[in-house]
Amino acid sequence: MAIKSKARHDLTLRSIKREIAAGRDVAFWLDKAYTHYDNGLLTEEDIAEVETLAQAYYDAVDERERADEVTETPDVPEVDGAENTTDE
């Protein structure tokens, strides 16, 4: 790889990884990585690294959603004639 292409490769990979790690439109940046791979700018190892980073992001989102489901308070129906015991 020539020095100019190596520098471009490093910049491209670093930019893609930064955007995915920040959670900015992960699907778009993953697609961008595949496009760069198809064009010969990224290697299989780069793609594996980007995929791992994207999967870690998606796993974190899933974990947060599961945690939110657990901490949500269930809807409790109001009962007619129930007294307010909060002294309001």
Side-chain angles (χ1 to χ4, degrees):
M1 208 182 282
I3 301 235
K4 192 172 188 179
S5 340
K6 175 71 172 139
R8 182 169 174 179
H9 165 268
D10 292 346
L11 179 63
T12 300
L13 182 59
R14 189 171 55 239
S15 296
I16 290 170
K17 288 170 46 178
R18 180 184 61 238
E19 295 300 316
I20 290 175
R24 291 195 273 281
D25 202 356
V26 174
F28 169 81
W29 287 102
L30 190 56
D31 185 56
K32 184 76 111 173
Y34 291 133
T35 299
H36 286 311
Y37 172 74
D38 291 342
N39 292 333
L41 192 55
L42 297 178
T43 65
E44 285 186 34
E45 292 81 23
D46 298 332
I47 290 297
E49 191 175 346
V50 169
E51 286 174 338
T52 300
L53 190 58
Q55 188 59 51
Y57 169 79
Y58 288 130
D59 290 346
V61 168
D62 289 345
E63 188 61 36
R64 260 194 317 267
E65 287 175 356
R66 276 194 293 277
D68 287 346
E69 289 173 2
V70 170
T71 59
E72 289 179 3
T73 56
D75 291 333
V76 179
E78 290 187 27
V79 178
D80 288 336
E83 293 183 24
N84 184 350
T85 59
T86 58
D87 295 328
E88 291 181 1

